[in-house]
Amino acid sequence: CIVVNEISKTIWNWRKTVKKFKKIYIETTNLCNLKCNFCPQISRKLDFMSVDSFSKIINKIAPYTNHVYLHLM
């Protein structure tokens, strides 16, 4: 139990010292019909991010930023 407490303290101290990103962009969809000449052509399946995936990502990145921007391909 003492070892677990020490590990938890170490992890907590490390997380406090990790610098945060100014902002993080999340691409919620790769659908776009503009066909801009400067955009790369992708071979990924065109789709929208699920609400479940979005929630998981938000929960994982929450400690690392105060600003999340939604990015469309």
Side-chain angles (χ1 to χ4, degrees):
C1 188
I2 294 171
V3 173
V4 172
N5 286 338
E6 288 302 314
I7 292 171
S8 294
K9 286 179 189 176
T10 302
I11 291 171
W12 178 253
N13 288 334
W14 175 80
R15 287 185 74 185
K16 288 192 311 187
T17 62
V18 172
K19 292 185 178 183
K20 290 189 173 190
F21 293 97
K22 290 182 182 178
K23 52 190 162 191
I24 294 178
Y25 290 88
I26 298 175
E27 184 177 288
T28 57
T29 184
N30 62 354
L31 291 171
C32 180
N33 64 355
L34 295 179
K35 302 203 186 320
C36 301
N37 62 357
F38 53 83
C39 284
Q41 297 299 315
I42 61 168
S43 58
R44 294 185 286 164
K45 176 186 166 198
L46 301 178
D47 204 2
F48 290 93
M49 181 183 292
S50 71
V51 173
D52 185 49
S53 292
F54 184 79
S55 295
K56 286 179 184 177
I57 291 169
I58 290 294
N59 289 330
K60 285 183 180 181
I61 67 171
Y64 305 106
T65 189
N66 292 327
H67 302 281
V68 175
Y69 291 78
L70 302 180
H71 177 68
L72 305 174
M73 190 183 115

